[in-house]
Amino acid sequence: SYVLTQPPSVSVAPGKTARITCGGNNIGSKGVHWYQQKPGQAPVLVIYYDRDRPSGIPERFSGSNSGNTATLTISRVEAGDEADYYCQVWDSSSDREYVFGTGTKVTVL
Amino acid sequence: QITLKESGPTLVKPTQTLTLTCTFSGFSLSTSGVAVGWIRQPPGKALEWLALIYWDDDKRYSPSLKSRLTITKDTSKNQVVLTMTNMDPVDTATYYCAHRKPGYYFDYWGQGTLVTVSS
């Protein structure tokens, strides 16, 4: 089945830019979605189809996807952005399954 | 306003069958393109997709758990039920249900329910 790999952790200073990668075989051909999860809370969709933001999500959150890597970028990082982030795709192969990445803990220094 | 809420036992014994119910509002599971999925998260670990049921009653399961899972819907009650057989301590997790609009992502999630498997 399809595998999505993320770095376990990313650290960033307030006001700087955090980039979280999501690696998968030819992931650029798939739609990638990103979720933010704060401790004790359910995940929240922050980016869908590579770069679209749901209403209510700040413009500081953006995404890109090409080749074997998708990236979630958080600009002007705030303390409230500290959370776990997960990428997700739909694998249209024979299993037709939904796949989540391994998750990245973003720490704001 | 779309809301979902999971309900079910908080503790099950090994080998038992787990039955979880997702009760939702704000949408209809008879609307074309709509689906409801189940996702779980063991303590301190990543999200894992389990199953999904579509408006037309088509169903999809995680290949690794397919033999143990059954997902059904009751459109009149706005509920989706997930059963998982032969529970094991490694199945201890928070179980979430989530709304999937046309498009392969989950835009609304329930609060989750923690299920512990222990004798």
Side-chain angles (χ1 to χ4, degrees), chain B residues 4-96:
Chain B
L4 306 97
K5 187 172 184 178
E6 307 85 353
S7 59
T10 57
L11 179 66
V12 298
K13 290 180 167 50
T15 76
Q16 287 187 335
T17 293
L18 171 68
T19 299
L20 293 172
T21 299
C22 175
T23 303
F24 57 85
S25 63
F27 67 96
S28 172
L29 199 39
S30 59
T31 300
S32 179
V34 173
V36 171
W38 285 94
I39 301 101
R40 73 177 179 179
Q41 185 174 39
K45 297 190 177 181
L47 300 169
E48 178 185 21
W49 173 72
L50 300 177
L52 187 122
I53 189 164
Y54 292 88
W55 80 101
D56 61 358
D57 210 38
D58 190 17
K59 299 159 189 176
R60 290 287 178 261
Y61 296 101
S62 166
S64 62
L65 293 166
K66 185 175 184 177
S67 64
R68 299 174 53 205
L69 296 173
T70 303
I71 189 169
T72 60
K73 65 181 174 72
D74 186 331
T75 304
S76 64
K77 292 183 178 180
N78 282 352
Q79 292 182 332
V80 171
V81 175
L82 180 75
T83 61
M84 180 180 291
T85 61
N86 195 24
M87 294 292 284
D88 182 272
V90 300
D91 297 313
T92 294
T94 295
Y95 288 76
Y96 296 97

